[in-house]
Amino acid sequence: MNVDSNWFSEFYEPGGSAFGLKIRAKLHEEQSAYQRIEIYDTETFGHLMVIDGCVMLTQRDNFLYHEMMAHPALFSHAAPRRVVVIGGGDCGTLREVLRHEGVQHAIQVEIDERVTRLSEQYFPELCEANHDPRAELRFEDGIAWFANAPAASADVVIVDSTDPVGPAEGLFSEPFYRDVNRVLAPGGLIVQQSESPLYHVDLLCSVHGALRRAGFSDVKTLHYPQPVYPSGWWSATLACKDGSIRPMRIESARRAAFPTRYYSADMHQAAFVLPPYLVEALAQVTG
Amino acid sequence: MNVDSNWFSEFYEPGGSAFGLKIRAKLHEEQSAYQRIEIYDTETFGHLMVIDGCVMLTQRDNFLYHEMMAHPALFSHAAPRRVVVIGGGDCGTLREVLRHEGVQHAIQVEIDERVTRLSEQYFPELCEANHDPRAELRFEDGIAWFANAPAASADVVIVDSTDPVGPAEGLFSEPFYRDVNRVLAPGGLIVQQSESPLYHVDLLCSVHGALRRAGFSDVKTLHYPQPVYPSGWWSATLACKDGSIRPMRIESARRAAFPTRYYSADMHQAAFVLPPYLVEALAQVTG
C-alpha cells in the first residue's frame, strides 16, 4: 500500500494495519517547533489533521472522541467546576467541557500553539468556545505545568494527548499521574485517552497499574468507536483521587441542556461495560 | 494509496476510506462459480479471506462479529432449538450457534461451497463444529431455500451475508424478510448483519422499514467494533415475529458453559444502547 496523491495513508506498523482517507487537496503543511502538522481536505471526512504522520482528527468523526473524553468524566464528578485539559490543542474537548454550565474555569495546556491556531482556521466549529470567558488557553509543557500547579486546584483533569511516544510519553507515566493526583481536589477525577482495546491491551494494563501506584483509588476504562484511529476502536481510562468512581449524575445527564451525537446517559453506562477478554486482562493488574 | 506486494488494501469508495493489512503471502486465489476468493497470511491478523476485493474475515478479530451475530439472538429467544444461518460459509457463526446446548438442529445455507471448503483449510478453528451431529451444511441459494422451507420450522434465522450488493442484495429486502417471517415459528427471531452505524445509516433505516413491512413486530439494532470492516464499527439488526424482543435470558447468559471473548450478558445489554444520532434516525422510520 503506497501513498499516491489521492489518498492520505497512515501505516500502523505495530498493528500491521493501515488506514486511508481519500483526499481532495493538501491545505497546509508545516514543521512547528514540536512536530510536523498537515491539514488535508478529504472527500468524505471533511478536514483532516495529521501530526507526525498520524491521523489526529477529522471533521466527520471527532465527535465520538471529544464527547467520550469529556462527558463521562464530567457527569461522574459530583460538581465539576475547575477543569484542566492537557493537550487537546484542537480545542474540541474544551468545547465539550464548556457545554457544562457548572464549569467555572477550564484551562487547556497545549504544548504546541500551532495546533490550536490551525484548528481555529480549519476546524473553526471546534474552537467556538475558545473565547468563552471561562476558557484559559495556555501554550506550555503540560508535565511542567502540573509540577507547578497548586494542590487541590482542579476537579477534573483530561489528558487529551497523542500516542505514548515522543513528547506525550511522559503523560502515560506514574510520576505525571502523581502530580495530577496532587493537583486534584478531593473527589477529583482524571481521564486519559488510552488507545485501542484491540491493539493496546498491554498499554491499558500499564495505565491502570501506573494510576493505582500514583495513588488513585479506582480505575475504570470505557470504550467507543473511532474510525480514523488504528483498529477503529478506542478507549478512555478514568480514575478518582479517593473513594470509588461515583455513579454518574444520571438525571443531570438526561436533562443536559446541550446536544450530543454519541454520548447519552445510557451510552455513558454502556461504554463502561467491557468485553470478557479485557475484564480478564485488567483483573491481572496489580497496583 | 496503492496495493503493493506487502499489503492487502480494500478501498471503500462510498465511505472515502481504505483499510489495509500487512501480508506475508497470498496463500490462495480462485474464481468460484459465484465470486473471486483470496486467502492471505497477514503479519498480525492471522489468515485473511477476501471476496470480490472485500475483507470477509481474519483469524484475529472475527470473534467480534461471530459472537455478536449469534449470542444476542440466541439468548433473546426463549428456547432456540432450530436455527438457520443464511450465508456464513466460513462456519464461524455456526460454531457459535452450536455452543448453545439447547440447539437441536442448525442448518447453514451457503450459496458457495468453496467458501466453506477454503474455511476448513485456512480457518479450521471456525469449522470445528461442522461435524457436530446437529449441524447440516447445505450449499444452495438462501433466498430459494427460504421460499420453499416449511412454515413455522425455525426459531432463529441468522442472515450472515456479504454486503447488500450483488448476490446478497436480495437478503436485505422485504420479499426475503416475508419468507423468513413465514418460516419462523411463533416467538421466532431474525438477526441480519446490518453494516456500519457510521457509513450506512440509510441502509439501517431501510432494513428497519423492510422488516416492519414484512410483518416483524419489533426491530432493534446492536453495535460492536469490527476493525477490518469499513469504519471499524459494525451492527446487527434483530426483529421478532410477534410481540416484543424479549429481555434476554440473562441467567442463562451469565451461566453459559462456553467461553466468549467479546460477548457477555452485560455486553449484550450494552450493545443495544445506541448513540442519539442513530436513535433519532431510526425513530423516523415508518413501517
Side-chain angles (χ1 to χ4, degrees):
Chain A
M1 200 153 75
N2 292 319
V3 182
D4 74 18
S5 62
N6 292 322
W7 292 83
F8 168 79
S9 303
E10 176 181 344
F11 300 86
Y12 184 67
E13 293 281 347
S17 64
F19 178 74
L21 287 171
K22 197 166 188 182
I23 60 172
R24 290 189 178 129
K26 181 182 278 193
L27 302 178
H28 183 81
E29 180 168 13
E30 71 176 68
Q31 180 70 39
S32 75
Y34 301 97
Q35 48 208 354
R36 180 149 215 89
I37 311 173
E38 297 163 87
I39 310 281
Y40 295 89
D41 187 26
T42 71
E43 287 276 351
T44 57
F45 275 69
H47 291 166
L48 159 69
M49 182 186 285
V50 174
I51 291 184
D52 289 341
C54 297
V55 170
M56 287 295 112
L57 78 161
T58 75
Q59 287 184 302
R60 182 174 186 178
D61 76 341
N62 76 80
F63 68 99
L64 299 158
Y65 177 88
H66 288 135
E67 291 184 11
M68 296 309 279
M69 285 296 288
H71 302 311
L74 269 73
F75 279 123
S76 294
H77 190 282
R81 286 186 295 269
R82 299 158 298 174
V83 179
V84 182
V85 180
I86 295 292
D90 58 58
C91 305
T93 298
L94 181 69
R95 180 184 69 165
E96 295 303 315
V97 166
L98 289 166
R99 293 190 194 280
H100 292 252
E101 288 181 0
V103 170
Q104 294 168 354
H105 189 202
I107 308 176
Q108 176 182 292
V109 187
E110 161 63 50
I111 200 168
D112 191 348
E113 182 170 353
R114 290 303 301 153
V115 173
T116 297
R117 298 304 164 221
L118 290 168
S119 189
E120 287 168 341
Q121 188 174 352
Y122 294 106
F123 300 84
E125 68 282 8
L126 299 184
C127 297
E128 59 191 24
N130 288 10
H131 297 291
D132 186 308
R134 301 172 294 161
E136 178 182 348
L137 274 62
R138 304 188 69 89
F139 299 104
E140 53 188 289
D141 177 65
I143 294 173
W145 187 90
F146 263 94
N148 297 314
S153 60
D155 298 312
V156 174
V157 170
I158 302 177
V159 188
D160 181 358
S161 68
T162 50
D163 300 331
V165 288
E169 194 171 356
L171 298 174
F172 289 75
S173 72
E174 183 185 338
F176 173 68
Y177 294 148
R178 281 196 185 280
D179 273 332
V180 172
N181 192 286
R182 186 183 55 78
V183 170
L184 281 170
L189 284 169
I190 181 175
V191 53
Q192 159 91 56
Q193 80 83 1
S194 47
E195 309 278 305
S196 163
L198 187 75
Y199 285 160
H200 305 118
V201 175
D202 288 348
L203 177 84
L204 269 164
C205 291
S206 147
V207 164
H208 275 237
L211 283 164
R212 289 193 204 165
R213 288 192 305 277
F216 287 91
S217 64
D218 192 16
V219 186
K220 287 195 164 67
T221 291
L222 60 81
H223 63 113
Y224 53 94
Q226 187 57 65
V228 301
Y229 286 175
S231 86
W233 187 20
W234 218 243
S235 73
T237 297
L238 280 74
C240 60
K241 186 181 170 82
D242 39 51
S244 297
I245 296 176
R246 296 161 48 92
M248 65 182 301
R249 291 180 291 119
I250 196 160
E251 288 309 317
S252 301
R254 289 204 199 286
R255 287 196 311 263
F258 54 81
T260 50
R261 293 176 63 199
Y262 188 77
Y263 179 86
S264 68
D266 292 335
M267 290 295 285
H268 178 135
Q269 295 175 303
F272 279 102
V273 180
L274 298 183
Y277 84 85
L278 259 188
V279 172
E280 282 162 32
L282 292 173
Q284 306 302 317
V285 177
T286 50
Chain B
M1 200 153 76
N2 294 319
V3 182
D4 72 21
S5 60
N6 291 321
W7 291 83
F8 168 79
S9 305
E10 175 180 346
F11 299 86
Y12 184 68
E13 293 281 348
S17 63
F19 178 74
L21 287 171
K22 196 166 190 183
I23 59 171
R24 289 188 179 131
K26 181 182 278 193
L27 302 178
H28 184 81
E29 180 167 13
E30 73 177 67
Q31 179 69 39
S32 76
Y34 301 96
Q35 51 209 352
R36 180 149 216 88
I37 310 173
E38 297 162 87
I39 311 281
Y40 295 89
D41 186 26
T42 71
E43 288 276 350
T44 56
F45 276 70
H47 291 167
L48 159 70
M49 182 186 286
V50 175
I51 291 185
D52 289 342
C54 297
V55 171
M56 287 295 110
L57 77 159
T58 74
Q59 288 184 300
R60 181 174 187 177
D61 76 340
N62 76 81
F63 68 98
L64 299 159
Y65 178 89
H66 288 136
E67 292 184 12
M68 295 310 279
M69 285 297 287
H71 303 311
L74 268 74
F75 280 123
S76 294
H77 190 282
R81 288 185 293 269
R82 301 159 297 174
V83 178
V84 183
V85 180
I86 296 293
D90 58 58
C91 305
T93 298
L94 181 68
R95 180 184 68 163
E96 296 303 316
V97 166
L98 289 166
R99 293 193 194 279
H100 292 252
E101 289 180 0
V103 170
Q104 296 169 353
H105 189 201
I107 308 175
Q108 176 182 294
V109 188
E110 162 63 50
I111 200 168
D112 190 349
E113 183 171 354
R114 290 302 300 152
V115 173
T116 297
R117 298 303 164 224
L118 290 168
S119 188
E120 287 168 342
Q121 189 172 352
Y122 294 105
F123 300 83
E125 68 282 8
L126 300 184
C127 296
E128 60 189 25
N130 288 10
H131 297 290
D132 187 306
R134 300 171 295 161
E136 179 181 349
L137 273 61
R138 303 189 70 89
F139 299 104
E140 54 187 288
D141 179 66
I143 294 173
W145 187 90
F146 264 95
N148 297 316
S153 60
D155 298 312
V156 174
V157 170
I158 302 177
V159 189
D160 181 359
S161 68
T162 51
D163 299 333
V165 290
E169 193 171 358
L171 298 175
F172 289 76
S173 72
E174 183 185 338
F176 172 68
Y177 293 148
R178 281 195 185 281
D179 274 332
V180 173
N181 192 285
R182 184 182 57 76
V183 171
L184 282 171
L189 284 170
I190 180 176
V191 53
Q192 160 89 58
Q193 79 83 1
S194 48
E195 309 278 303
S196 163
L198 186 76
Y199 286 161
H200 306 119
V201 176
D202 288 351
L203 176 85
L204 268 165
C205 291
S206 147
V207 164
H208 274 237
L211 284 164
R212 290 195 203 165
R213 287 192 306 276
F216 287 91
S217 65
D218 193 15
V219 187
K220 287 195 165 66
T221 291
L222 60 80
H223 62 114
Y224 52 94
Q226 188 56 67
V228 301
Y229 286 176
S231 85
W233 187 21
W234 217 244
S235 72
T237 297
L238 280 76
C240 61
K241 185 181 170 84
D242 39 52
S244 298
I245 297 176
R246 296 163 47 93
M248 63 181 300
R249 291 181 289 118
I250 195 160
E251 288 310 316
S252 302
R254 288 204 200 286
R255 286 195 312 262
F258 53 82
T260 49
R261 293 177 63 200
Y262 188 78
Y263 179 85
S264 68
D266 292 333
M267 288 296 285
H268 178 135
Q269 295 175 301
F272 280 102
V273 180
L274 298 182
Y277 85 85
L278 260 187
V279 173
E280 283 163 31
L282 293 172
Q284 307 299 317
V285 176
T286 51

